[in-house]
Amino acid sequence: MQRISSSSLISPIQDKINEQHISRILDIVEKDDDRAFADTQSARLYNLITIIIFLVFFGFLTYFLVNKDVVVYQDILKIIIIFGGGFGSGFGYKGYIDRKRK
């Protein structure tokens, strides 16, 4: 019984792995980590640019519409808040589903 169980634990692939294979695997893992880091950085930059654009647009609306037409400004503000709430709840729901799948 021990002879069968001990021989099945060693894979034939494990005998063929050498230092070059291990170095290659470590290089691949390092490149993957670098790509993940670059992807995270670009996502942060994209989010920052999006927020800045939104703030500039909001500032533009506030500066030009508050003094001229308050009713139109309030309507635009309501639409932006409704859109933002829907976008935020959809983003939160997607995050919930992604966490649930893991």
Side-chain angles (χ1 to χ4, degrees):
M1 187 66 124
Q2 288 179 337
R3 194 173 346 138
I4 293 172
S5 66
S6 66
S7 65
S8 65
L9 292 177
I10 298 175
S11 172
I13 295 174
Q14 288 178 339
D15 293 335
K16 295 180 182 180
I17 293 178
N18 59 24
E19 292 176 9
Q20 292 173 348
H21 293 118
I22 293 172
S23 298
R24 177 119 170 109
I25 291 170
L26 290 175
D27 290 339
I28 290 170
V29 168
E30 183 179 354
K31 286 180 184 179
D32 188 43
D33 287 343
D34 291 341
R35 288 184 191 122
F37 179 75
D39 186 39
T40 302
Q41 292 297 336
S42 64
R44 287 180 182 169
L45 181 63
Y46 175 76
N47 287 337
L48 178 66
I49 290 172
T50 304
I51 289 171
I52 289 172
I53 289 172
F54 175 75
L55 290 175
V56 167
F57 177 71
F58 182 71
F60 174 78
L61 281 178
T62 303
Y63 182 75
F64 286 108
L65 287 180
V66 166
N67 293 331
K68 294 181 180 177
D69 196 359
V70 176
V71 175
V72 172
Y73 178 71
Q74 288 175 344
D75 289 340
I76 291 174
L77 209 61
K78 285 178 191 176
I79 292 171
I80 290 173
I81 290 171
I82 290 170
F83 177 76
F87 181 76
S89 63
F91 187 72
Y93 182 71
K94 181 186 178 300
Y96 169 74
I97 294 297
D98 289 344
R99 284 190 305 270
K100 190 175 179 181
R101 287 182 185 165
K102 288 182 179 182

